[in-house]
Amino acid sequence: MFTSPWRQRVAFAVLGMILITGSVLLAIFFTPPSPPPVPPNEALYRDASLPIETRVEDLLGYMTLEEKIGQMALVEKNSLKNTKDVAAYGIGAVLSGAGGKPDDNTPQGWKNMVAEFTDAASGTRLGIPILYGTDANHGNGNVLGATLFPHLIGLGAANDPVLTERVARAIAEESAAMGIRWHFSPTFDLPMDIRWGRVYEAFSDDPMRAGTLGAAYIRGLQQAAGQGARIDVLATAKHYVGLGSMTWGTSDNDDFRIDQGVVSNDDSETLTDVYLPPYRTAIDAGILSVMAGLASWGGGDISASEYILTDVLKDELGFRGFVVSDWYGVYAISWNSYDSTVSAINAGIDMAMLPFDYKGFVSDMHKAVIRGDIPQARVDDAVRRILRAKFSMGLFDDNGASRSGLETVGSTEHRALARETVACSLVLLRNQKRTLPLSSDIRHIRVAGSAADNVGRQTGGWTVEWQGIDGNWLPGATSILAGIRAAVSMQTTVEYDLNGDFPNKDLADVGIAIVGEKPYAEGWGDNVQPRLDDIDLAAIASLQKTSKRVVVIIVSGRPLIVTDEISKWDATVAAWLPGSEGRGVADALFGASPFTGRLPLPWPRTIEQLPMTVDGQTSDGSTPLFPRGFGL
Ligand code: BGC
């Protein structure tokens, strides 16, 4: 067949090479992968009596790369096609984003939904429990029937660490009863510009006040439920770092103006003296989860900053918990999902919040580790941090899903605490002729304004829906108008009309205008001119014509510019976003509780005074309408 010996040799050599390559390929494709190490029943990580670090290291030793990557994924529950994926991908955590509720939006419905996810995780090879997280930032806002407390700005005005801790404990009890053991709160943002749509999610622009109240809040959430128990509800300090100090007009998001913008004053002195102190306090209070903010720092995304996440937070401040990215935060870094994932994880993100495509994350991560773009040691460090939190919560020993106590959700006791908190959060800004407190025997009251009979406005954003609800239909909630009606004597006439349209023109003893903002959340609340709208101004004007004196109650997520109007009002109260218990407002109006709240941030006179400086001064040096700490 071969015409010459050398051709024969070449042919044999080629044939040999084909055979060798073929067998190598066969070996690669048909050799079964080595089986993952199987833990014995008495594996150290299952022994609750051992130190957490021993258990973490032991478990890490049994985990495959896939299982480690799964732990780093925090998946939005609406994007999970079915709960089986929790097991198939070994997913570490599931969240309900704002409005991410079960079809049966009742406490029992929530408990059932969370249990489905926790059961799916505990049935896996290693039985690593999931974390179930929500933004219960003023109570379990997604859950119909839960107690809704004042948003954090109101707690900042009350400025009482003991009260703050009690509130957080009550919120934690309500969520733990439903199996929700992780909250994306409290917020340590320092809002310097009232045009930002997230002012109300923060305690104060003062790092000291934010730090003290935030630490109290963490203690309240995390407090062990009983003897020998561990962290009850895991808190998250957010949004790390410098959020609240973004510059107006710099948002990365076309729909927003300042939210997701560029943090100003990103020098190391401001970082050390202003932005970091609250986080130091949080670490001292035992925080084990920190959320990286959606904003830019020093020319790049915070989620991609190794300096901010690793050098400062983990190395310098000694944070031993895990850093979670914010909603889609990893993918805000670049248009390329692979590059974004590599940058974020290498910078120090330990868990990625994945609202949409968790499968893409898993495959990018896998590729990156195999190629060496993300070191295996970085993955181990991230997983170690996540497991440390899970062990610290006792999740391996009791996954919390079997807890009873659903009756705690919206309980009379919690509503009473919320009512007390509302009264403590009100700031009396003006009180001419001792208009307040009113006598409960007063003969005739007229009430008007968009927020008088509207629990949706009282509760603000993050209530049932991300942007809140505008209307009066929250089960179990009491409007401020209802609170007033309940506080007055049998002889008192209370007339109400939203627009202040009262046919009978005889003068009432007092007109109470309850006015304010429509609910909003995040960048959708960025507002170039936060002020009262014309409907509310007209309602006030009409009360001025039909009442001897006028009290204006401002229901808003931030100070509004009222400089031109306030001197015409007899009394003015900043009520923030008080939540489901409108009676708390009436308690202070009618003297059952004294006014003790103090402004948690300066109240500007004009927009030109913005942003406030980090020491609470206006940017042009003029005096604000009311300084931080003011309250009659
Ligand atoms: C917010 C976070 C929140 C997360 C999950 C994001 O849009 O910035 O504060 O925790 O959503 O709901």
Side-chain angles (χ1 to χ4, degrees):
M1 166 185 165
F2 295 107
T3 50
S4 72
W6 74 267
R7 285 199 179 174
Q8 206 174 9
R9 255 181 257 134
V10 171
F12 278 127
V14 171
L15 204 66
M17 273 165 63
I18 292 173
L19 282 174
I20 292 169
T21 320
S23 18
V24 170
L25 287 176
L26 272 175
I28 292 175
F29 287 112
F30 292 104
T31 311
S34 51
V38 180
N41 277 345
E42 61 283 6
L44 301 185
Y45 81 86
R46 294 195 172 121
D47 183 347
S49 69
L50 291 176
I52 286 172
E53 296 306 315
T54 310
R55 300 177 76 186
V56 168
E57 289 310 317
D58 184 59
L59 176 52
L60 206 56
Y62 295 113
M63 293 174 76
T64 62
L65 176 61
E66 284 68 24
E67 284 164 337
K68 290 177 183 172
I69 292 172
Q71 284 302 303
M72 297 171 70
L74 164 60
V75 183
E76 214 288 325
K77 73 114 186 140
N78 286 333
S79 75
L80 267 167
K81 302 289 169 280
N82 62 54
T83 43
K84 287 201 190 104
D85 269 6
V86 169
Y89 289 83
I91 283 166
V94 178
L95 85 141
S96 276
K101 41 195 181 290
D103 294 337
D104 172 18
N105 189 359
T106 60
Q108 186 64 53
W110 276 85
K111 186 172 166 155
N112 297 344
M113 174 186 74
V114 177
E116 261 187 61
F117 290 113
T118 39
D119 290 350
S122 48
T124 53
R125 191 177 80 87
L126 298 171
I128 306 179
I130 55 152
L131 280 171
Y132 199 98
T134 62
D135 294 277
N137 48 17
H138 62 137
N140 287 270
N142 278 328
V143 184
L144 286 182
T147 313
L148 296 183
F149 293 84
H151 272 283
L152 293 193
I153 194 76
L155 293 181
N159 196 18
D160 177 345
V162 176
L163 179 66
T164 301
E165 189 171 331
R166 286 170 61 210
V167 167
R169 182 91 292 270
I171 297 175
E173 272 167 21
E174 297 203 6
S175 39
M178 295 181 277
I180 302 166
R181 302 280 301 275
W182 184 23
H183 285 183
F184 309 127
S185 59
T187 304
F188 284 92
D189 301 343
L190 305 171
M192 311 284 171
D193 194 324
I194 61 159
R195 291 171 292 185
W196 187 32
R198 306 196 76 165
V199 171
Y200 66 82
E201 292 183 58
F203 292 106
S204 170
D205 68 336
D206 171 14
M208 275 286 288
R209 197 186 291 207
T212 310
L213 296 175
Y217 196 100
I218 292 167
R219 287 195 299 273
L221 285 190
Q222 299 204 156
Q223 206 171 91
Q227 261 210 327
R230 300 204 170 111
I231 287 178
D232 192 19
V233 170
L234 184 74
T236 304
K238 71 182 188 185
H239 304 85
Y240 180 80
V241 68
L243 269 81
S245 268
M246 295 82 64
T247 305
W248 180 259
T250 62
S251 180
D252 208 21
N253 183 321
D254 290 344
D255 293 318
F256 303 165
R257 306 297 299 280
I258 183 169
D259 191 40
Q260 303 182 12
V262 177
V263 175
S264 60
N265 305 314
D266 57 0
D267 54 287
S268 57
E269 208 177 303
T270 314
L271 175 67
T272 311
D273 298 348
V274 182
Y275 304 143
L276 289 182
Y279 288 93
R280 285 187 199 278
T281 330
I283 291 171
D284 290 346
I287 199 81
L288 284 177
S289 146
V290 166
M291 189 185 289
L294 288 173
S296 312
W297 176 282
D301 271 58
I302 290 178
S303 296
S305 170
E306 188 173 351
Y307 167 66
I308 285 295
L309 302 179
T310 300
D311 300 352
V312 175
L313 179 64
K314 294 179 179 172
D315 295 346
E316 197 183 311
L317 267 55
F319 171 62
R320 302 189 72 234
F322 66 94
V323 178
V324 58
S325 60
D326 198 348
W327 191 264
Y328 212 61
V330 164
Y331 302 107
I333 298 171
S334 83
W335 290 110
N336 180 312
S337 77
Y338 181 82
D339 293 348
S340 300
T341 307
V342 170
S343 311
I345 304 300
N346 284 339
I349 294 288
D350 302 305
M351 186 187 269
M353 194 189 291
L354 304 163
F356 314 114
D357 180 16
Y358 51 98
K359 295 183 185 171
F361 172 78
V362 168
S363 89
D364 282 341
M365 279 295 295
H366 199 263
K367 202 191 317 172
V369 178
I370 298 297
R371 283 184 180 174
D373 288 341
I374 295 179
Q376 176 72 53
R378 177 72 269 278
V379 173
D380 286 348
D381 172 54
V383 176
R384 199 173 269 127
R385 289 166 176 277
I386 294 163
L387 294 179
R388 185 176 290 138
K390 291 185 174 182
F391 279 112
S392 303
M393 297 169 71
L395 286 186
F396 286 81
D397 313 319
D398 157 25
N399 73 9
S402 61
R403 269 187 211 218
S404 56
L406 277 183
E407 65 283 355
T408 197
V409 182
S411 68
T412 318
E413 192 192 347
H414 289 170
R415 289 187 188 280
L417 174 62
R419 175 175 173 178
E420 176 191 340
T421 311
V422 172
C424 297
S425 71
L426 304 175
V427 180
L428 184 57
L429 295 174
R430 182 178 164 85
N431 195 16
Q432 297 301 101
K433 299 176 268 172
R434 294 176 158 226
T435 299
L436 293 178
L438 302 168
S439 157
S440 53
D441 293 327
I442 198 162
R443 196 183 48 87
H444 184 189
I445 301 179
R446 285 199 168 116
V447 180
S450 66
D453 196 22
N454 189 326
V455 290
R457 293 203 178 190
Q458 261 168 242
T459 46
W462 300 95
T463 306
V464 188
E465 300 297 340
W466 180 35
Q467 296 299 317
I469 43 171
D470 192 8
N472 204 13
W473 62 271
L474 202 59
T478 311
S479 71
I480 300 176
L481 172 67
I484 292 173
R485 288 197 201 278
V488 294
S489 70
M490 303 277 284
Q491 288 72 40
T492 309
T493 304
V494 179
E495 272 187 287
Y496 163 70
D497 182 74
L498 192 152
N499 300 307
D501 226 350
F502 300 104
N504 181 347
K505 295 296 176 215
D506 63 325
L507 281 187
D509 298 306
V510 67
I512 304 178
I514 305 163
V515 294
E517 293 184 297
K518 287 197 179 103
Y520 54 81
E522 301 193 36
W524 295 108
D526 289 352
N527 184 345
V528 66
Q529 268 293 346
R531 57 189 292 279
L532 292 174
D533 67 17
D534 291 343
I535 295 178
D536 274 340
L537 288 174
I540 298 173
S542 152
L543 281 177
Q544 282 169 322
K545 286 192 206 117
T546 57
S547 316
K548 292 180 193 155
R549 280 171 296 160
V550 168
V551 176
V552 176
I553 298 170
I554 303 175
V555 176
S556 65
R558 53 185 148 204
L560 302 179
I561 302 295
V562 291
T563 315
D564 294 341
E565 297 93 18
I566 193 167
S567 57
K568 295 173 219 148
W569 308 335
D570 298 296
T572 307
V573 176
W576 315 110
L577 299 172
S580 57
E581 307 311 304
R583 280 172 301 179
V585 176
D587 289 338
L589 286 182
F590 293 95
S593 310
F595 282 98
T596 52
R598 300 281 177 268
L599 285 182
L601 72 178
W603 193 292
R605 190 179 290 278
T606 62
I607 290 298
E608 287 65 43
Q609 294 184 322
L610 299 171
M612 295 292 165
T613 67
V614 291
D615 346 282
Q617 307 300 316
T618 60
S619 55
D620 62 7
S622 56
T623 48
L625 190 60
F626 302 107
R628 182 205 295 145
F630 182 84
L632 297 174

